[in-house]
Amino acid sequence: MNKLQKAIFEKSRKGKIGYSFSPTEFSDDLITIDRKKLREDIKDFPQVSEVEVVRHYTNLAQLNHSVDSGFYPLGSCTMKYNPKINEKIANFEEFSTHPYSPHKFVEGNLEIITTFEEWLKKITAMAAFTITPSAGAHGEITGMMIIKKYLSSKGDTRKIILIPDSAHGTNPASAHFAGYEIKQIPSNKDGIIEVGTLKEYLNKDVAALMMTNPNTLGIFEKNICKISETLHKNGSLLYMDGANMNALMGVVRPGDLGVDVMHLNLHKTFSTPHGGGGPGSGPVGVASYLVEFLPVPYVYKKGKNYFIKHNGEKSIGRIKNFYGNFLVIVRALAYLMSIGKEYIRKVAEDAVLNANYIRKSLEPLLELPYKSKTLHEVIFSDKNLNITTLDIAKSLLDYGIHPFTIYFPLIVHGAMMIEPTETESKETIDEFINAMKKILEKAKTDPEYIKNAPYTTPVSRLDEVLAAREHILKWEKSSE
Amino acid sequence: MRYFPLTDSEREEIKKFLGIKDTKELFSDIPKDKSYYPLNDIPSALTEDKLLEKFKELAKKNRYSNYLSFLGAGAYNHFIPEVVNYLISKGELSTPYTPYQAEVSQGSLQGIFEYQTMIAMLTGMDVSNSSLYDGGTAAAEGVLLALRKSKKNRILIASNLHPEYIEIIHTYIQNLNFEAEFIGFDRESGKIDLTQLKKKIDENCGGFIFQSPNFLGVIEEVKTISDITHNKNAFSVQVTAEAMSLAFLTPAAENGVDIIVGEAQSFGIPIGFGGPYLGFIGAKKEFLRQMPGRIVGQTLDTKGRKGYVLTLSTREQHIKREKATSNICSNQALCALRAAIYLSTMGQKGLKEVSKINHLNTSYFVKEASKLTNINIKYKKNFYNEVVIEIKNNNVEDFIAKLEEKNIIAGVPLKYFYSDFEDSILVNFTEIHKKKDIDKLIKAIGEIE
Amino acid sequence: MNLDDFKFTKEHEWVKIEGDIGIIGISDFAQKEFGDIVYVELPSVGEKVKKGDACANIESVKAVDDIYTPISGEIIEVNKELEDNPENINKDPNGKGWILKIKIEEKKEIENLMDNNQYNDFLNGISQE
């Protein structure tokens, strides 16, 4: 059932209640605040019964496509299955303690944090991790600040970060908010950064190169070791955006490739739910000479005891309240413990197998802009088609399949970035390939049909121009 | 293993189709001496039953739930109706991605649109967004927004803002060309020193960021503060760490506030050892194009049906890259949806009732505690749901230890934050505390010599 | 519309001279590249700009970009109608979609700009890439 819902405010009726809570034993006489500072009613605030709350959100839920309901091959998002046992564990009452609890009352939580850090160190060969950043972008800005503080501690005031043309928008944005200038460096025809090109862009003002590996084209940056050496010789550092770690986990460790600072996305590689846009978590790992620059607080174990470092002369300071998105970390740790050494490598192996299966199946039908080896995601272009990437994406919706990432990275015309992940069956992938074949066939005989898709979704194509011009950003009584 | 649907024969089939013998061949671009490293130091996989056992062991090492806690200071224990937990656990709400393909994301988009509306209703502001990471980073974004919009580079910061928020603001602005100066607070009243504010604010200031109720639980003179800042063409930026106060006190917009930011964990989000929480922002409409983060807007589909989309994306990093209003991408969307469900369930009546109980409980404590001789309530008026207790005859450690013996966690010692509050703790009361809990605390304190 | 007295820049701005005033807008090619325009940020009247300065900002659903003035001088008028009707730039980029008017400081600056024919050749060159 795909029923569109009225706004909850429209379902409100005066006097309806949805809550149940024991009344106070105290009278209003105890109010000590000046009456003028107290608010009156909250105008138009919801007044619905519990039944209506449940119906409203249950129906809204049914309007969504989700990983739980079907294939979701969004490139660079790693929409893998979110294990349910991890939800049960994250909801244990005992874990939900106040962050300022005295340490001796929360040793379980402190052990979760330190154990998780150990896992990340083993997977990446980085010397230490901070688990405080809330998301990948948050991790990026943290990493950029670490680099800045490290360099300035040596009296070095380099101003530039080099960022490849295929980079995700958060890369330059994060570098900018850390106070850096950005210089874009081009990838070659194979989609990767060449050492020679790097040398052209390198000078004493370059603080670091910010590289995604594998990059947003799904291609391994095979010059990474030489790139790291070249950067280090110049006094610069190598930052690795680990959003695509799903292709490398258990196969190779970024620390072994010369990476100085990197972030991971727990809501990608580590199976925590995307939540419709968050919460995520973006732990940042560093090489040993950068450990003292990590943000505070930093939780560590010495002997049998846990300590929390709240200050550090060299630390970049605090970047988030409390310790990080703790309950997201609990889920990620449960995930790692569930796959263990027996399956950790299978993640990358199956992810890469699935992506290559898609590549070879669709190569005869679509333009493949880069012929390099594909890892966990493959990019096609809509060049030479009589329909656009957007049209194909919207048509997939009618097959119950969420589209791939579209129009990113910008260096590919009409980019279609497809990442199946390892948690998809061959049947599902075959269904996707067949759907693509049908759409491309139909485009030859009836492109108009394709251009007006989708037909079976709860709403059809939405007017983004109207949204941007009218900017109705909240419900108002008069707007009905 | 249950998370890997490919069977061995399917793997063989795919390898055959690809023309390879070994999956390793697909990774041949990776330096051979570094790839396929030995996995011996990684623990073995745990089956579901063993996994549960392991985490139950870890859970046992936490003893917090055995205690009656009065800890607050930016994270609050509130009542969460079961309906909230039930609905947010639905996979259709928790497992989708960011709603870029709006046709199949109307659930998430409408949920967030309604959340934005509720924040706007509570704060009186024109626009809100679909969430920020937490109160501290929201405060930093509030500062950056004020500076961006005013095109100035000086900000004044209240020194009784949550100390962690101050640290976070500092971390963010230290790398950009901005100056910050502190405005002190009066120890007697617990409020911002308005004389100092009037003296230090000038036409070069983008704004003044302050918290109300502040870190010590005291409600500031928000309208007066807004007037002072407007006098010098600066923005009034309010922070609140306890969102429950929004339902009890006059809305920010009515007090002349231009931007309000803060922590909305109090709206149905578990206390979770500090995260994930929910940063919120509300602002007047002239800030719209400078707002950070994702925003959901209403529109029509090709058949004229009402629908929702992410909008005004040209502010964001994926389009504007280094010129974006923020680098934020993934936010705390599911927490925002949780808050929307909580606010819908509690509704007008429930929210107002519960927010009042927070204050009544605190007030009852203050009234009874003034009969005690071994403590002093520092700010007896103008508090919302937190008060500062000065301990007279003991040091703080002994006081806290004696209460722990009675299974009470009294509050957050303030010596970690202010050197002249060595003998004080911050105590919080929410609707969770019943009269008997507050009486237990009073009695226990009274029994300490 | 007769574009004979329009001059164009490589960044797709046009300037039309009327006496000692230069009217500035963006070309038809540019408005197509933008797609539906949703917002125009106009400069303030009285602002003094130098050739090449960013003088306005145009936003569509998928892109946002600065407009650079081809001439130096003082801004004497801005097209306030674009505040409520930014789509005028799409509908009539060379007429109703004009963006701002500048009092020309240095007539020589116009000499290096392309006329309509040269601009069309330039566009053909782009499409062949």
Side-chain angles (χ1 to χ4, degrees):
Chain A
M1 272 257 106
N2 281 331
K3 300 192 297 195
L4 295 181
Q5 297 294 301
K6 293 203 261 209
I8 192 134
F9 315 99
E10 291 172 68
K11 297 181 181 180
S12 296
R13 294 289 180 271
K14 191 160 186 237
K16 286 198 184 182
I17 58 161
Y19 78 104
S20 162
F21 195 74
S22 47
T24 177
E25 297 154 271
F26 305 123
S27 96
D28 281 8
D29 294 339
L30 277 174
I31 297 178
T32 64
I33 303 170
D34 179 2
R35 292 281 153 172
K36 277 190 284 175
K37 291 210 172 100
L38 302 182
R39 81 177 296 158
E40 287 162 19
D41 280 350
I42 312 164
K43 190 162 172 288
D44 297 331
F45 213 66
Q47 293 188 72
V48 288
S49 69
E50 180 174 318
V51 179
E52 287 158 311
V53 171
V54 173
R55 291 248 169 92
H56 184 75
Y57 289 99
T58 300
N59 281 306
L60 285 185
Q62 287 169 7
L63 297 173
N64 278 353
H65 181 96
S66 58
V67 171
D68 274 5
S69 49
F71 196 39
Y72 219 119
L74 277 178
S76 268
C77 297
T78 312
M79 300 299 290
K80 66 169 77 181
Y81 172 66
N82 309 134
K84 306 315 174 196
I85 188 65
N86 300 350
E87 295 303 312
K88 181 182 171 108
I89 290 170
N91 282 320
F92 279 2
E93 203 184 59
E94 294 89 337
F95 292 142
S96 195
T97 75
H98 193 287
Y100 287 148
S101 309
H103 299 181
K104 57 183 190 268
F105 292 144
V106 290
E107 289 193 342
N109 288 355
L110 298 176
E111 187 173 332
I112 286 173
I113 292 177
T114 52
T115 306
F116 187 63
E117 193 194 345
E118 287 310 304
W119 271 89
L120 295 185
K121 283 157 69 171
K122 291 193 177 101
I123 291 170
T124 61
M126 302 306 285
F129 269 85
T130 170
I131 49 99
T132 52
S134 289
H138 204 195
E140 289 168 26
I141 194 176
T142 302
M144 289 292 109
M145 291 195 208
I146 289 172
I147 291 172
K148 199 162 214 231
K149 187 119 196 200
Y150 163 71
L151 289 172
S152 72
S153 75
K154 301 200 306 162
D156 198 327
T157 55
R158 295 163 189 247
K159 291 194 307 289
I160 297 176
I161 300 285
L162 296 178
I163 300 184
D165 48 8
S166 56
H168 190 272
T170 52
N171 287 182
S174 302
H176 168 76
F177 279 94
Y180 278 115
E181 277 169 42
I182 287 90
K183 216 148 184 216
Q184 194 167 273
I185 174 172
S187 37
N188 66 10
K189 62 167 177 48
D190 296 325
I192 60 172
I193 302 289
E194 273 176 32
V195 180
T197 314
L198 173 65
K199 285 188 173 150
E200 280 170 42
Y201 281 77
L202 214 52
N203 57 43
K204 290 302 175 201
D205 215 6
V206 169
L209 168 68
M210 206 173 177
M211 197 162 77
T212 307
N213 195 15
N215 58 33
T216 60
L217 302 166
I219 300 169
F220 186 76
E221 290 278 0
K222 62 183 174 192
N223 298 321
I224 186 168
C225 294
K226 204 85 222 305
I227 285 175
S228 171
E229 261 175 58
T230 309
L231 287 165
H232 291 162
K233 272 207 188 92
N234 190 55
S236 316
L237 288 84
L238 177 58
Y239 181 92
M240 186 179 117
D241 179 328
N244 289 329
M245 193 69 194
N246 213 49
L248 305 182
M249 192 159 70
V251 173
V252 69
R253 298 177 302 196
D256 292 338
L257 300 171
V259 170
D260 299 296
V261 190
M262 68 172 292
H263 81 266
L264 293 165
N265 301 61
L266 300 190
H267 48 296
K268 295 185 178 182
T269 317
F270 298 81
S271 89
T272 72
H274 277 78
S281 176
V284 170
V286 294
S288 53
Y289 66 97
L290 296 170
V291 174
E292 45 194 349
F293 298 92
L294 284 173
V296 288
Y298 181 71
V299 180
Y300 61 98
K301 194 172 187 191
K302 225 174 176 169
K304 282 210 171 114
N305 297 317
Y306 293 96
F307 298 90
I308 304 181
K309 179 180 163 203
H310 283 287
N311 300 296
E313 198 205 301
K314 296 224 166 106
S315 162
I316 61 168
R318 195 176 291 271
I319 51 123
K320 167 138 176 56
N321 285 136
F322 312 120
Y323 310 108
N325 280 349
F326 179 73
L327 293 180
V328 175
I329 287 152
V330 171
R331 290 170 170 89
L333 180 60
Y335 171 72
L336 287 173
M337 288 180 166
S338 300
I339 59 175
K341 75 157 165 263
E342 292 82 359
Y343 300 101
I344 199 164
R345 183 166 284 161
K346 249 201 200 342
V347 171
E349 286 186 333
D350 279 2
V352 171
L353 265 177
N354 281 345
N356 277 281
Y357 180 55
I358 290 179
R359 171 177 163 160
K360 187 142 192 214
S361 305
L362 293 180
E363 230 177 305
L365 308 167
L366 290 168
E367 158 115 1
L368 185 75
Y370 292 93
K371 315 284 185 267
S372 314
K373 271 196 143 62
T374 288
L375 281 182
H376 68 311
E377 62 192 4
V378 59
I379 295 238
F380 289 104
S381 159
D382 66 354
K383 249 187 177 169
N384 305 324
L385 292 178
N386 61 342
I387 50 170
T388 66
T389 292
L390 184 73
D391 298 327
I392 301 175
K394 297 305 181 191
S395 300
L396 275 170
L397 294 174
D398 287 325
Y399 287 86
I401 296 172
H402 192 281
F404 29 69
T405 299
I406 57 176
Y407 300 109
F408 178 76
L410 304 166
I411 54 174
V412 172
H413 187 280
M416 298 177 226
M417 201 202 299
I418 309 171
E419 180 186 354
T421 82
E422 75 284 7
T423 65
E424 295 302 335
S425 67
K426 190 166 172 299
E427 297 79 61
T428 304
I429 297 183
D430 285 333
E431 266 172 40
F432 165 70
I433 292 168
N434 287 331
M436 289 293 285
K437 286 184 175 158
K438 287 208 180 97
I439 293 168
L440 292 168
E441 265 308 305
K442 186 113 185 156
K444 292 187 189 149
T445 54
D446 190 0
E448 271 315 294
Y449 183 85
I450 301 296
K451 283 183 170 303
N452 289 311
Y455 298 93
T456 58
T457 50
V459 292
S460 54
R461 291 202 202 190
L462 289 150
D463 193 341
E464 294 186 356
V465 175
L466 182 67
R469 288 210 185 129
E470 301 281 293
H471 38 87
I472 301 171
L473 307 173
K474 56 179 173 139
W475 179 90
E476 264 167 330
K477 218 170 199 157
S478 56
S479 63
E480 293 321 307
Chain B
M1 198 263 174
R2 64 198 189 288
Y3 304 153
F4 297 83
L6 285 183
T7 63
D8 279 337
S9 68
E10 282 169 341
R11 291 187 183 104
E12 290 312 308
E13 226 186 291
I14 294 177
K15 282 193 268 188
K16 205 156 157 226
F17 176 69
L18 295 175
I20 58 173
K21 289 232 162 59
D22 192 333
T23 311
K24 253 191 182 162
E25 295 170 53
L26 297 171
F27 294 96
S28 60
D29 274 356
I30 301 178
K32 296 221 169 21
D33 56 335
K34 311 254 164 47
S35 73
Y36 280 73
Y37 60 94
L39 294 170
N40 354 5
D41 60 347
I42 295 193
S44 260
L46 295 178
T47 52
E48 186 167 313
D49 53 321
K50 286 232 152 16
L51 185 75
L52 270 172
E53 213 183 283
K54 173 80 188 154
F55 276 92
K56 283 189 180 149
E57 265 171 46
L58 285 166
K60 278 209 192 80
K61 294 182 183 176
N62 283 348
R63 294 183 289 134
Y64 175 80
S65 18
N66 306 333
Y67 288 76
L68 177 61
S69 164
F70 295 94
L71 295 170
Y76 303 96
N77 266 313
H78 287 287
F79 164 73
I80 301 176
E82 188 50 34
V83 139
V84 179
N85 297 323
Y86 168 81
L87 290 168
I88 208 69
S89 70
K90 282 176 179 289
E92 299 93 330
L93 295 176
S94 61
T95 68
Y97 186 63
T98 305
Y100 287 127
Q101 296 293 348
E103 298 88 338
V104 291
S105 314
Q106 289 299 295
S108 299
L109 287 163
Q110 184 170 339
I112 297 293
F113 181 80
E114 292 174 357
Y115 158 81
Q116 284 170 194
T117 306
M118 292 182 219
I119 295 292
M121 287 172 171
L122 285 164
T123 59
M125 292 298 180
D126 301 315
V127 303
S128 178
N129 79 359
S130 80
S131 73
L132 297 169
Y133 305 136
D134 61 15
T137 53
E141 293 278 12
V143 165
L144 294 175
L145 178 60
L147 292 173
R148 208 163 37 236
K149 180 75 181 162
S150 64
K151 298 202 172 109
K152 298 181 189 168
N153 60 8
R154 190 154 166 260
I155 192 89
L156 297 181
I157 304 178
S159 56
N160 53 7
L161 203 61
H162 193 304
E164 284 198 11
Y165 293 23
I166 292 178
E167 284 181 51
I168 294 168
I169 292 171
H170 173 72
T171 306
Y172 272 78
I173 65 177
Q174 71 187 341
N175 293 307
L176 305 166
N177 278 331
F178 297 128
E179 285 168 35
E181 215 187 316
F182 284 104
I183 304 293
F185 69 93
D186 173 56
R187 264 47 182 174
E188 283 311 303
S189 66
K191 297 191 207 173
I192 279 297
D193 182 348
L194 294 176
T195 319
Q196 211 186 106
L197 175 63
K198 280 188 206 138
K199 237 206 297 199
K200 291 207 172 159
I201 195 158
D202 62 22
E203 302 280 344
N204 292 320
C205 285
F208 173 51
I209 184 165
F210 63 97
Q211 182 175 327
S212 182
N214 62 36
F215 185 62
L216 302 169
V218 177
I219 301 165
E220 295 281 358
E221 298 301 322
V222 182
K223 185 129 197 358
T224 311
I225 291 174
S226 298
D227 289 339
I228 296 173
T229 62
H230 292 156
N231 227 333
K232 294 288 176 184
N233 285 326
F235 293 124
S236 169
V237 184
Q238 183 183 346
V239 177
T240 179
E242 170 49 301
M244 193 59 83
S245 67
L246 297 174
F248 196 57
L249 305 173
T250 49
E254 280 174 33
N255 294 324
V257 172
D258 299 295
I259 301 168
I260 178 164
V261 285
E263 179 58 67
Q265 173 264 325
S266 292
F267 291 154
I269 291 155
I271 204 155
F273 200 48
Y277 281 0
L278 175 59
F280 76 89
I281 181 168
K284 299 256 166 82
K285 65 161 103 75
E286 52 258 37
F287 291 88
L288 177 59
R289 296 206 128 71
Q290 297 299 327
M291 285 282 276
R294 297 172 177 152
I295 301 183
V296 176
Q298 183 179 304
T299 184
L300 300 171
D301 76 352
T302 55
K303 298 203 165 85
R305 289 176 291 208
K306 182 166 69 173
Y308 304 93
V309 286
L310 288 176
T311 191
L312 299 174
S313 317
T314 49
R315 296 161 301 116
E316 295 185 72
Q317 44 74 30
H318 57 292
I319 292 181
K320 233 167 167 171
R321 300 173 77 87
E322 64 265 25
K323 300 212 177 105
T325 55
S326 169
N327 73 330
I328 192 168
C329 182
S330 286
N331 49 31
Q332 305 286 102
L334 197 65
C335 297
L337 190 58
R338 225 188 209 275
I341 299 174
Y342 169 84
L343 293 171
S344 303
T345 307
M346 295 304 285
Q348 169 93 255
K349 187 162 186 289
L351 195 67
K352 293 219 66 190
E353 179 70 17
V354 149
S355 67
K356 184 172 71 170
I357 296 175
N358 275 248
H359 178 69
L360 293 178
N361 285 352
T362 314
S363 218
Y364 171 70
F365 171 79
V366 169
K367 181 159 161 260
E368 295 304 303
S370 10
K371 300 171 189 160
L372 295 170
T373 51
N374 57 349
I375 62 163
N376 175 45
I377 308 287
K378 196 151 163 85
Y379 306 113
K380 295 183 176 60
K381 290 186 149 260
N382 278 319
F383 52 82
Y384 171 56
N385 71 356
E386 287 186 283
V387 285
V388 176
I389 299 180
E390 278 173 328
I391 294 142
K392 292 211 226 155
N393 303 329
N394 299 76
N395 65 34
V396 174
E397 283 78 22
D398 286 342
F399 184 84
I400 287 180
K402 294 226 163 75
L403 288 172
E404 278 175 13
E405 282 167 29
K406 311 225 164 107
N407 278 28
I408 296 174
I409 305 180
V412 180
L414 288 174
K415 64 198 275 199
Y416 300 130
F417 306 112
Y418 305 115
S419 54
D420 56 338
F421 278 74
E422 230 182 13
D423 299 319
S424 305
I425 60 173
L426 185 66
V427 185
N428 161 250
F429 301 89
T430 68
E431 72 282 6
I432 292 277
H433 301 108
K434 304 297 170 210
K435 179 174 181 292
K436 62 171 169 52
D437 300 318
I438 308 173
D439 286 337
K440 179 174 177 185
L441 175 65
I442 303 255
K443 181 161 182 279
I445 295 175
E447 283 167 4
I448 302 176
E449 297 112 45
Chain C
M1 182 172 219
N2 189 333
L3 299 179
D4 284 348
D5 47 354
F6 276 57
K7 289 282 199 183
F8 294 84
T9 70
K10 287 211 171 100
E11 286 77 42
H12 313 288
E13 293 102 2
W14 56 256
V15 57
K16 182 180 176 193
I17 308 299
E18 272 178 8
D20 62 344
I21 310 286
I23 311 174
I24 293 164
I26 62 169
S27 71
D28 189 43
F29 174 82
Q31 69 80 12
K32 284 201 186 101
E33 284 288 299
F34 266 111
D36 293 291
I37 292 171
V38 301
Y39 182 71
V40 182
E41 195 182 316
L42 298 166
S44 318
V45 169
E47 228 180 282
K48 291 208 170 67
V49 289
K50 289 256 153 244
K51 172 186 165 114
D53 280 351
C55 60
N57 187 274
I58 295 182
E59 202 181 300
S60 68
V61 171
K62 56 176 180 152
V64 62
D65 217 347
D66 285 323
I67 305 305
Y68 305 98
T69 170
I71 54 172
S72 311
E74 185 184 321
I75 299 177
I76 54 159
E77 203 184 327
V78 296
N79 187 354
K80 279 216 166 289
E81 253 194 63
L82 292 177
E83 275 170 13
D84 287 327
N85 297 94
E87 65 273 13
N88 284 353
I89 297 183
N90 296 114
K91 288 190 195 152
D92 189 10
N94 301 320
K96 265 174 78 180
W98 67 273
I99 301 173
L100 66 155
K101 292 184 183 168
I102 291 184
K103 191 164 169 163
I104 304 175
E105 210 175 81
E106 185 56 66
K107 269 223 147 87
K108 278 218 189 90
E109 285 173 339
I110 310 159
E111 284 166 21
N112 293 326
L113 300 174
M114 298 177 269
D115 66 24
N116 193 23
N117 290 327
Q118 290 168 323
Y119 181 61
N120 283 326
D121 289 340
F122 171 65
L123 288 179
N124 284 330
I126 294 178
S127 65
Q128 268 153 34
E129 263 162 37

